[in-house]
Amino acid sequence: MKAYIYDDLPGDQRLPHNSGTPISPSELLSLGVLYHHIPSLSDVDALAAERGYKNRDEITVSPEAMGDIYETKVRSFFDEHLHEDEEIRYVKDGKGYFDVRDKDERWVRIFLEKNDLIILPAGIYHRFTTDDDNYIKALRLFKDEPKWTPLNRTEGLDENAYRKEYVQQFLAA
């Protein structure tokens, strides 16, 4: 796993945008982000059971798999948003980036590849993109019925109960 401050320079979102400022696993943990490298699907199953995840689906994000909607979909994943549920993703193939906001509102870019698993807490502002290979296959895990309901960041979203709880638990000084 590589994590670093996003450079905020213009250009293709699928490029690394590495500012040269690394972020450690403990710094990610302080934001509520959990990372695991898990080469065995049975170990993913064990983690899912431990955390109460009963359902799952698979998504392949690529021009071949998605056709004409690929560019629009990748752009929508890259819109800053939060979820009211914990988000857990296991990369089965390919590569991509999750960006999360830190305490200073900077983007932290997390590079994920095959056998990497990330858990984002409910209420964290984040976004996702493939890398410039334009391909990732991921397992999405859910506690209940599969759903993916993003709440795009807008004025007033900081008042969302899940956002407030996240801020209190991870960002309050």
Side-chain angles (χ1 to χ4, degrees):
M1 182 257 331
K2 292 182 206 168
Y4 48 84
I5 298 297
Y6 186 85
D7 66 15
D8 279 324
L9 296 175
D12 190 333
Q13 70 196 34
R14 294 170 262 216
L15 296 176
H17 288 278
N18 189 338
S19 68
T21 304
I23 298 294
S24 70
S26 64
E27 289 172 289
L28 285 179
L29 188 58
S30 76
L31 298 173
V33 176
L34 304 175
Y35 165 83
H36 302 278
H37 182 79
I38 306 177
S40 160
L41 196 52
S42 62
D43 290 337
V44 172
D45 294 341
L47 180 70
E50 174 186 310
R51 296 185 76 86
Y53 284 84
K54 300 176 193 124
N55 292 302
R56 62 184 64 198
D57 70 7
E58 253 183 41
I59 184 168
T60 300
V61 180
S62 73
E64 294 75 22
M66 301 177 102
D68 293 340
I69 66 163
Y70 172 76
E71 289 293 334
T72 302
K73 210 52 155 156
V74 168
R75 281 192 197 94
S76 76
F77 294 154
F78 201 65
D79 288 337
E80 183 174 7
H81 63 278
L82 63 79
H83 298 283
E84 293 182 337
D85 297 307
E86 187 175 81
E87 182 169 349
I88 182 169
R89 301 294 183 261
Y90 176 68
V91 180
K92 294 182 83 175
D93 198 19
K95 298 174 284 199
Y97 301 102
F98 271 92
D99 297 339
V100 298
R101 289 283 189 189
D102 73 1
K103 294 176 183 186
D104 298 318
E105 283 288 306
R106 299 175 302 177
W107 283 115
V108 173
R109 176 150 277 199
I110 306 161
F111 175 71
L112 299 173
E113 56 192 332
K114 186 175 181 176
N115 298 328
D116 287 344
L117 181 139
I118 192 169
I119 303 172
L120 302 180
I124 190 172
Y125 286 127
H126 66 282
R127 60 190 185 185
F128 170 79
T129 189
T130 59
D131 74 348
D132 56 351
D133 287 338
N134 295 316
Y135 172 76
I136 194 166
K137 183 180 199 174
L139 185 64
R140 303 186 297 182
L141 302 165
F142 306 91
K143 289 188 177 183
D144 293 309
E145 288 303 309
K147 64 180 177 179
W148 188 82
T149 307
L151 300 175
N152 286 347
R153 190 171 189 178
T154 57
E155 191 173 324
L157 190 57
D158 284 345
E159 298 306 311
N160 174 285
Y162 293 91
R163 176 65 185 167
K164 283 181 160 182
E165 184 177 325
Y166 172 77
V167 169
Q168 183 178 10
Q169 185 172 356
F170 295 105
L171 302 182

